[in-house]
Amino acid sequence: MKRRSLVALGLAAPLLPLTRYLVPGAHAEGQAEITQVVGVQNFRVGAWTVTALLDGAIPIGPGDFANLTAAEAQSFAEAAFLDSAEVMTGVNAYVLRDGTETILVDAGGAGAFPGLGGLPVALVEAGIDPAAVTRVLLTHMHPDHIGGLLGADGAVFPNASVHVHAAELAFWTDAEIKAQVPEAFQPFFDLAMSVAEAYRARIQTFSEEADLVAGIRARALPGHTPGHSGFQVSSGADTLLIWGDIVHVAAFQFPKPEAAIGFDVDAAAAIATRQAVMAELAQSRVAVAGMHLPFPGIGYVSQDGDGYPLVPKPWSFSL
């Protein structure tokens, strides 16, 4: 393919190096290893109980972004009290329950990237049986969002319908597009095709804005992928926007929304979407949940000049 075609697909940007992963640190002799608890947190959005689940983390650094210099990344990292501009970015998923529906939004990346795959344990800790999941809503079909849909025996969620934007499904299951992309990207298509096959009879597509169930509306948030979508959850006076991959590294992209990750299919559209949705949320004060925001990934967007600081949602002491 010509270089301009690769750029149009967002595939000329550098890949995330897949050899950089968190390695457990050394421990003093005789000292027991101390590990984190499983990432599960509950809060309410009106009648919905929302459960944030941590699937794991992947490494992202300034070299994985366009429109972001190393000096800027270092400055942003220091302002965020990070030890390095090379950060571990969490991968979150969310479950919505109202007594009738048990809806999973994205499924993490088990089997797709080392460092991911914590969703099954998190579901157990949250008391959620995969067989009880009624729907899976996909923000998009990158591996760190759909890997957890498949297990050794096929579909992990045997009773769930899978909802995805029609353009998203069409892109990632197109054999002709797959044949034209660099070999390193072809597993992205292979995984999407496997998911489509495993859930074939239960896949439901939507286009643009659509009400999926009462109180949950799909919102078009284009740029990161052809059909990248968010899901707006509303109940009573409460609203939450689950915005998928609008942000990959909070420390970089909230102060500089024009910083674009290399995986954006259309970087210009992704930047415009990010700027527009951040401005909207800063004005509306609606809560946001993000798949790569620091766990549990729930907060509010404020505005400071050209940047939009993230204000984490306080811990819910009761439900």
mmCIF file with all atom_site columns, all heavy atoms in Angstrom, residues 62-81:
data_model
loop_
_atom_site.group_PDB
_atom_site.id
_atom_site.type_symbol
_atom_site.label_atom_id
_atom_site.label_alt_id
_atom_site.label_comp_id
_atom_site.label_asym_id
_atom_site.label_entity_id
_atom_site.label_seq_id
_atom_site.pdbx_PDB_ins_code
_atom_site.Cartn_x
_atom_site.Cartn_y
_atom_site.Cartn_z
_atom_site.occupancy
_atom_site.B_iso_or_equiv
_atom_site.pdbx_formal_charge
_atom_site.auth_seq_id
_atom_site.auth_comp_id
_atom_site.auth_asym_id
_atom_site.auth_atom_id
_atom_site.pdbx_PDB_model_num
ATOM 1   N N   . PRO A 1 62 ? 5.492  8.343  25.460 1.00 0.00 ? 62 PRO A N   1
ATOM 2   C CA  . PRO A 1 62 ? 5.350  9.483  24.557 1.00 0.00 ? 62 PRO A CA  1
ATOM 3   C C   . PRO A 1 62 ? 5.600  9.134  23.103 1.00 0.00 ? 62 PRO A C   1
ATOM 4   O O   . PRO A 1 62 ? 5.041  9.769  22.207 1.00 0.00 ? 62 PRO A O   1
ATOM 5   C CB  . PRO A 1 62 ? 6.382  10.490 25.079 1.00 0.00 ? 62 PRO A CB  1
ATOM 6   C CG  . PRO A 1 62 ? 7.302  9.714  25.960 1.00 0.00 ? 62 PRO A CG  1
ATOM 7   C CD  . PRO A 1 62 ? 6.490  8.595  26.521 1.00 0.00 ? 62 PRO A CD  1
ATOM 8   N N   . GLY A 1 63 ? 6.434  8.120  22.841 1.00 0.00 ? 63 GLY A N   1
ATOM 9   C CA  . GLY A 1 63 ? 6.698  7.721  21.467 1.00 0.00 ? 63 GLY A CA  1
ATOM 10  C C   . GLY A 1 63 ? 5.502  7.120  20.759 1.00 0.00 ? 63 GLY A C   1
ATOM 11  O O   . GLY A 1 63 ? 5.516  6.957  19.540 1.00 0.00 ? 63 GLY A O   1
ATOM 12  N N   . ASP A 1 64 ? 4.457  6.787  21.508 1.00 0.00 ? 64 ASP A N   1
ATOM 13  C CA  . ASP A 1 64 ? 3.259  6.200  20.921 1.00 0.00 ? 64 ASP A CA  1
ATOM 14  C C   . ASP A 1 64 ? 2.240  7.255  20.499 1.00 0.00 ? 64 ASP A C   1
ATOM 15  O O   . ASP A 1 64 ? 1.148  6.920  20.048 1.00 0.00 ? 64 ASP A O   1
ATOM 16  C CB  . ASP A 1 64 ? 2.606  5.235  21.918 1.00 0.00 ? 64 ASP A CB  1
ATOM 17  C CG  . ASP A 1 64 ? 3.547  4.118  22.323 1.00 0.00 ? 64 ASP A CG  1
ATOM 18  O OD1 . ASP A 1 64 ? 4.156  3.519  21.415 1.00 0.00 ? 64 ASP A OD1 1
ATOM 19  O OD2 . ASP A 1 64 ? 3.697  3.854  23.527 1.00 0.00 ? 64 ASP A OD2 1
ATOM 20  N N   . PHE A 1 65 ? 2.605  8.539  20.664 1.00 0.00 ? 65 PHE A N   1
ATOM 21  C CA  . PHE A 1 65 ? 1.694  9.634  20.352 1.00 0.00 ? 65 PHE A CA  1
ATOM 22  C C   . PHE A 1 65 ? 2.241  10.516 19.241 1.00 0.00 ? 65 PHE A C   1
ATOM 23  O O   . PHE A 1 65 ? 3.453  10.704 19.101 1.00 0.00 ? 65 PHE A O   1
ATOM 24  C CB  . PHE A 1 65 ? 1.473  10.511 21.586 1.00 0.00 ? 65 PHE A CB  1
ATOM 25  C CG  . PHE A 1 65 ? 0.594  9.881  22.636 1.00 0.00 ? 65 PHE A CG  1
ATOM 26  C CD1 . PHE A 1 65 ? 1.131  9.061  23.611 1.00 0.00 ? 65 PHE A CD1 1
ATOM 27  C CD2 . PHE A 1 65 ? -0.773 10.106 22.644 1.00 0.00 ? 65 PHE A CD2 1
ATOM 28  C CE1 . PHE A 1 65 ? 0.333  8.472  24.575 1.00 0.00 ? 65 PHE A CE1 1
ATOM 29  C CE2 . PHE A 1 65 ? -1.582 9.533  23.600 1.00 0.00 ? 65 PHE A CE2 1
ATOM 30  C CZ  . PHE A 1 65 ? -1.034 8.707  24.564 1.00 0.00 ? 65 PHE A CZ  1
ATOM 31  N N   . ALA A 1 66 ? 1.321  11.113 18.483 1.00 0.00 ? 66 ALA A N   1
ATOM 32  C CA  . ALA A 1 66 ? 1.636  12.210 17.572 1.00 0.00 ? 66 ALA A CA  1
ATOM 33  C C   . ALA A 1 66 ? 1.260  13.514 18.263 1.00 0.00 ? 66 ALA A C   1
ATOM 34  O O   . ALA A 1 66 ? 0.430  13.526 19.178 1.00 0.00 ? 66 ALA A O   1
ATOM 35  C CB  . ALA A 1 66 ? 0.850  12.058 16.272 1.00 0.00 ? 66 ALA A CB  1
ATOM 36  N N   . ASN A 1 67 ? 1.870  14.595 17.835 1.00 0.00 ? 67 ASN A N   1
ATOM 37  C CA  . ASN A 1 67 ? 1.587  15.927 18.410 1.00 0.00 ? 67 ASN A CA  1
ATOM 38  C C   . ASN A 1 67 ? 1.954  16.005 19.887 1.00 0.00 ? 67 ASN A C   1
ATOM 39  O O   . ASN A 1 67 ? 1.343  16.759 20.650 1.00 0.00 ? 67 ASN A O   1
ATOM 40  C CB  . ASN A 1 67 ? 0.115  16.321 18.231 1.00 0.00 ? 67 ASN A CB  1
ATOM 41  C CG  . ASN A 1 67 ? -0.334 16.274 16.794 1.00 0.00 ? 67 ASN A CG  1
ATOM 42  O OD1 . ASN A 1 67 ? 0.462  16.536 15.890 1.00 0.00 ? 67 ASN A OD1 1
ATOM 43  N ND2 . ASN A 1 67 ? -1.590 15.937 16.574 1.00 0.00 ? 67 ASN A ND2 1
ATOM 44  N N   . LEU A 1 68 ? 2.945  15.239 20.300 1.00 0.00 ? 68 LEU A N   1
ATOM 45  C CA  . LEU A 1 68 ? 3.385  15.262 21.689 1.00 0.00 ? 68 LEU A CA  1
ATOM 46  C C   . LEU A 1 68 ? 4.895  15.047 21.716 1.00 0.00 ? 68 LEU A C   1
ATOM 47  O O   . LEU A 1 68 ? 5.387  13.991 21.309 1.00 0.00 ? 68 LEU A O   1
ATOM 48  C CB  . LEU A 1 68 ? 2.684  14.163 22.502 1.00 0.00 ? 68 LEU A CB  1
ATOM 49  C CG  . LEU A 1 68 ? 3.037  14.096 23.987 1.00 0.00 ? 68 LEU A CG  1
ATOM 50  C CD1 . LEU A 1 68 ? 2.421  15.286 24.739 1.00 0.00 ? 68 LEU A CD1 1
ATOM 51  C CD2 . LEU A 1 68 ? 2.554  12.784 24.607 1.00 0.00 ? 68 LEU A CD2 1
ATOM 52  N N   . THR A 1 69 ? 5.633  16.047 22.169 1.00 0.00 ? 69 THR A N   1
ATOM 53  C CA  . THR A 1 69 ? 7.080  15.907 22.245 1.00 0.00 ? 69 THR A CA  1
ATOM 54  C C   . THR A 1 69 ? 7.480  15.197 23.527 1.00 0.00 ? 69 THR A C   1
ATOM 55  O O   . THR A 1 69 ? 6.708  15.150 24.496 1.00 0.00 ? 69 THR A O   1
ATOM 56  C CB  . THR A 1 69 ? 7.763  17.278 22.199 1.00 0.00 ? 69 THR A CB  1
ATOM 57  O OG1 . THR A 1 69 ? 7.452  17.997 23.410 1.00 0.00 ? 69 THR A OG1 1
ATOM 58  C CG2 . THR A 1 69 ? 7.304  18.087 20.986 1.00 0.00 ? 69 THR A CG2 1
ATOM 59  N N   . ALA A 1 70 ? 8.683  14.668 23.544 1.00 0.00 ? 70 ALA A N   1
ATOM 60  C CA  . ALA A 1 70 ? 9.184  14.006 24.744 1.00 0.00 ? 70 ALA A CA  1
ATOM 61  C C   . ALA A 1 70 ? 9.246  14.986 25.912 1.00 0.00 ? 70 ALA A C   1
ATOM 62  O O   . ALA A 1 70 ? 8.953  14.626 27.057 1.00 0.00 ? 70 ALA A O   1
ATOM 63  C CB  . ALA A 1 70 ? 10.558 13.402 24.476 1.00 0.00 ? 70 ALA A CB  1
ATOM 64  N N   . ALA A 1 71 ? 9.624  16.228 25.616 1.00 0.00 ? 71 ALA A N   1
ATOM 65  C CA  . ALA A 1 71 ? 9.705  17.233 26.675 1.00 0.00 ? 71 ALA A CA  1
ATOM 66  C C   . ALA A 1 71 ? 8.329  17.542 27.251 1.00 0.00 ? 71 ALA A C   1
ATOM 67  O O   . ALA A 1 71 ? 8.160  17.684 28.478 1.00 0.00 ? 71 ALA A O   1
ATOM 68  C CB  . ALA A 1 71 ? 10.346 18.511 26.135 1.00 0.00 ? 71 ALA A CB  1
ATOM 69  N N   . GLU A 1 72 ? 7.323  17.641 26.379 1.00 0.00 ? 72 GLU A N   1
ATOM 70  C CA  . GLU A 1 72 ? 5.961  17.873 26.860 1.00 0.00 ? 72 GLU A CA  1
ATOM 71  C C   . GLU A 1 72 ? 5.487  16.700 27.717 1.00 0.00 ? 72 GLU A C   1
ATOM 72  O O   . GLU A 1 72 ? 4.898  16.898 28.787 1.00 0.00 ? 72 GLU A O   1
ATOM 73  C CB  . GLU A 1 72 ? 5.008  18.060 25.680 1.00 0.00 ? 72 GLU A CB  1
ATOM 74  C CG  . GLU A 1 72 ? 5.118  19.381 24.970 1.00 0.00 ? 72 GLU A CG  1
ATOM 75  C CD  . GLU A 1 72 ? 4.205  19.444 23.766 1.00 0.00 ? 72 GLU A CD  1
ATOM 76  O OE1 . GLU A 1 72 ? 4.094  18.432 23.033 1.00 0.00 ? 72 GLU A OE1 1
ATOM 77  O OE2 . GLU A 1 72 ? 3.596  20.515 23.553 1.00 0.00 ? 72 GLU A OE2 1
ATOM 78  N N   . ALA A 1 73 ? 5.732  15.491 27.231 1.00 0.00 ? 73 ALA A N   1
ATOM 79  C CA  . ALA A 1 73 ? 5.299  14.309 27.975 1.00 0.00 ? 73 ALA A CA  1
ATOM 80  C C   . ALA A 1 73 ? 5.945  14.269 29.349 1.00 0.00 ? 73 ALA A C   1
ATOM 81  O O   . ALA A 1 73 ? 5.283  13.958 30.356 1.00 0.00 ? 73 ALA A O   1
ATOM 82  C CB  . ALA A 1 73 ? 5.633  13.043 27.196 1.00 0.00 ? 73 ALA A CB  1
ATOM 83  N N   . GLN A 1 74 ? 7.240  14.579 29.421 1.00 0.00 ? 74 GLN A N   1
ATOM 84  C CA  . GLN A 1 74 ? 7.927  14.582 30.703 1.00 0.00 ? 74 GLN A CA  1
ATOM 85  C C   . GLN A 1 74 ? 7.343  15.640 31.628 1.00 0.00 ? 74 GLN A C   1
ATOM 86  O O   . GLN A 1 74 ? 7.149  15.405 32.829 1.00 0.00 ? 74 GLN A O   1
ATOM 87  C CB  . GLN A 1 74 ? 9.418  14.820 30.498 1.00 0.00 ? 74 GLN A CB  1
ATOM 88  C CG  . GLN A 1 74 ? 10.253 14.707 31.774 1.00 0.00 ? 74 GLN A CG  1
ATOM 89  C CD  . GLN A 1 74 ? 10.167 13.331 32.398 1.00 0.00 ? 74 GLN A CD  1
ATOM 90  O OE1 . GLN A 1 74 ? 10.157 12.316 31.693 1.00 0.00 ? 74 GLN A OE1 1
ATOM 91  N NE2 . GLN A 1 74 ? 10.094 13.279 33.732 1.00 0.00 ? 74 GLN A NE2 1
ATOM 92  N N   . SER A 1 75 ? 7.054  16.814 31.083 1.00 0.00 ? 75 SER A N   1
ATOM 93  C CA  . SER A 1 75 ? 6.463  17.885 31.886 1.00 0.00 ? 75 SER A CA  1
ATOM 94  C C   . SER A 1 75 ? 5.086  17.491 32.400 1.00 0.00 ? 75 SER A C   1
ATOM 95  O O   . SER A 1 75 ? 4.760  17.706 33.584 1.00 0.00 ? 75 SER A O   1
ATOM 96  C CB  . SER A 1 75 ? 6.361  19.161 31.047 1.00 0.00 ? 75 SER A CB  1
ATOM 97  O OG  . SER A 1 75 ? 5.729  20.196 31.772 1.00 0.00 ? 75 SER A OG  1
ATOM 98  N N   . PHE A 1 76 ? 4.275  16.900 31.529 1.00 0.00 ? 76 PHE A N   1
ATOM 99  C CA  . PHE A 1 76 ? 2.949  16.464 31.943 1.00 0.00 ? 76 PHE A CA  1
ATOM 100 C C   . PHE A 1 76 ? 3.047  15.358 33.003 1.00 0.00 ? 76 PHE A C   1
ATOM 101 O O   . PHE A 1 76 ? 2.271  15.328 33.958 1.00 0.00 ? 76 PHE A O   1
ATOM 102 C CB  . PHE A 1 76 ? 2.153  15.945 30.745 1.00 0.00 ? 76 PHE A CB  1
ATOM 103 C CG  . PHE A 1 76 ? 1.746  17.006 29.765 1.00 0.00 ? 76 PHE A CG  1
ATOM 104 C CD1 . PHE A 1 76 ? 1.660  16.707 28.405 1.00 0.00 ? 76 PHE A CD1 1
ATOM 105 C CD2 . PHE A 1 76 ? 1.448  18.294 30.175 1.00 0.00 ? 76 PHE A CD2 1
ATOM 106 C CE1 . PHE A 1 76 ? 1.283  17.675 27.484 1.00 0.00 ? 76 PHE A CE1 1
ATOM 107 C CE2 . PHE A 1 76 ? 1.058  19.281 29.259 1.00 0.00 ? 76 PHE A CE2 1
ATOM 108 C CZ  . PHE A 1 76 ? 0.981  18.962 27.919 1.00 0.00 ? 76 PHE A CZ  1
ATOM 109 N N   . ALA A 1 77 ? 4.000  14.441 32.821 1.00 0.00 ? 77 ALA A N   1
ATOM 110 C CA  . ALA A 1 77 ? 4.172  13.351 33.787 1.00 0.00 ? 77 ALA A CA  1
ATOM 111 C C   . ALA A 1 77 ? 4.565  13.901 35.157 1.00 0.00 ? 77 ALA A C   1
ATOM 112 O O   . ALA A 1 77 ? 4.038  13.465 36.189 1.00 0.00 ? 77 ALA A O   1
ATOM 113 C CB  . ALA A 1 77 ? 5.227  12.369 33.281 1.00 0.00 ? 77 ALA A CB  1
ATOM 114 N N   . GLU A 1 78 ? 5.474  14.857 35.172 1.00 0.00 ? 78 GLU A N   1
ATOM 115 C CA  . GLU A 1 78 ? 5.887  15.453 36.442 1.00 0.00 ? 78 GLU A CA  1
ATOM 116 C C   . GLU A 1 78 ? 4.730  16.190 37.096 1.00 0.00 ? 78 GLU A C   1
ATOM 117 O O   . GLU A 1 78 ? 4.543  16.107 38.321 1.00 0.00 ? 78 GLU A O   1
ATOM 118 C CB  . GLU A 1 78 ? 7.060  16.401 36.206 1.00 0.00 ? 78 GLU A CB  1
ATOM 119 C CG  . GLU A 1 78 ? 8.353  15.683 35.827 1.00 0.00 ? 78 GLU A CG  1
ATOM 120 C CD  . GLU A 1 78 ? 9.474  16.643 35.478 1.00 0.00 ? 78 GLU A CD  1
ATOM 121 O OE1 . GLU A 1 78 ? 9.262  17.873 35.557 1.00 0.00 ? 78 GLU A OE1 1
ATOM 122 O OE2 . GLU A 1 78 ? 10.573 16.157 35.118 1.00 0.00 ? 78 GLU A OE2 1
ATOM 123 N N   . ALA A 1 79 ? 3.921  16.888 36.301 1.00 0.00 ? 79 ALA A N   1
ATOM 124 C CA  . ALA A 1 79 ? 2.772  17.602 36.852 1.00 0.00 ? 79 ALA A CA  1
ATOM 125 C C   . ALA A 1 79 ? 1.753  16.643 37.451 1.00 0.00 ? 79 ALA A C   1
ATOM 126 O O   . ALA A 1 79 ? 1.026  16.994 38.385 1.00 0.00 ? 79 ALA A O   1
ATOM 127 C CB  . ALA A 1 79 ? 2.115  18.450 35.762 1.00 0.00 ? 79 ALA A CB  1
ATOM 128 N N   . ALA A 1 80 ? 1.702  15.414 36.912 1.00 0.00 ? 80 ALA A N   1
ATOM 129 C CA  . ALA A 1 80 ? 0.768  14.397 37.406 1.00 0.00 ? 80 ALA A CA  1
ATOM 130 C C   . ALA A 1 80 ? 1.397  13.519 38.490 1.00 0.00 ? 80 ALA A C   1
ATOM 131 O O   . ALA A 1 80 ? 0.795  12.527 38.904 1.00 0.00 ? 80 ALA A O   1
ATOM 132 C CB  . ALA A 1 80 ? 0.300  13.526 36.248 1.00 0.00 ? 80 ALA A CB  1
ATOM 133 N N   . PHE A 1 81 ? 2.621  13.880 38.939 1.00 0.00 ? 81 PHE A N   1
ATOM 134 C CA  . PHE A 1 81 ? 3.333  13.140 39.980 1.00 0.00 ? 81 PHE A CA  1
ATOM 135 C C   . PHE A 1 81 ? 3.613  11.693 39.564 1.00 0.00 ? 81 PHE A C   1
ATOM 136 O O   . PHE A 1 81 ? 3.595  10.778 40.392 1.00 0.00 ? 81 PHE A O   1
ATOM 137 C CB  . PHE A 1 81 ? 2.570  13.187 41.312 1.00 0.00 ? 81 PHE A CB  1
ATOM 138 C CG  . PHE A 1 81 ? 2.480  14.570 41.893 1.00 0.00 ? 81 PHE A CG  1
ATOM 139 C CD1 . PHE A 1 81 ? 1.436  15.419 41.563 1.00 0.00 ? 81 PHE A CD1 1
ATOM 140 C CD2 . PHE A 1 81 ? 3.465  15.038 42.761 1.00 0.00 ? 81 PHE A CD2 1
ATOM 141 C CE1 . PHE A 1 81 ? 1.362  16.708 42.083 1.00 0.00 ? 81 PHE A CE1 1
ATOM 142 C CE2 . PHE A 1 81 ? 3.399  16.332 43.284 1.00 0.00 ? 81 PHE A CE2 1
ATOM 143 C CZ  . PHE A 1 81 ? 2.353  17.169 42.950 1.00 0.00 ? 81 PHE A CZ  1
#
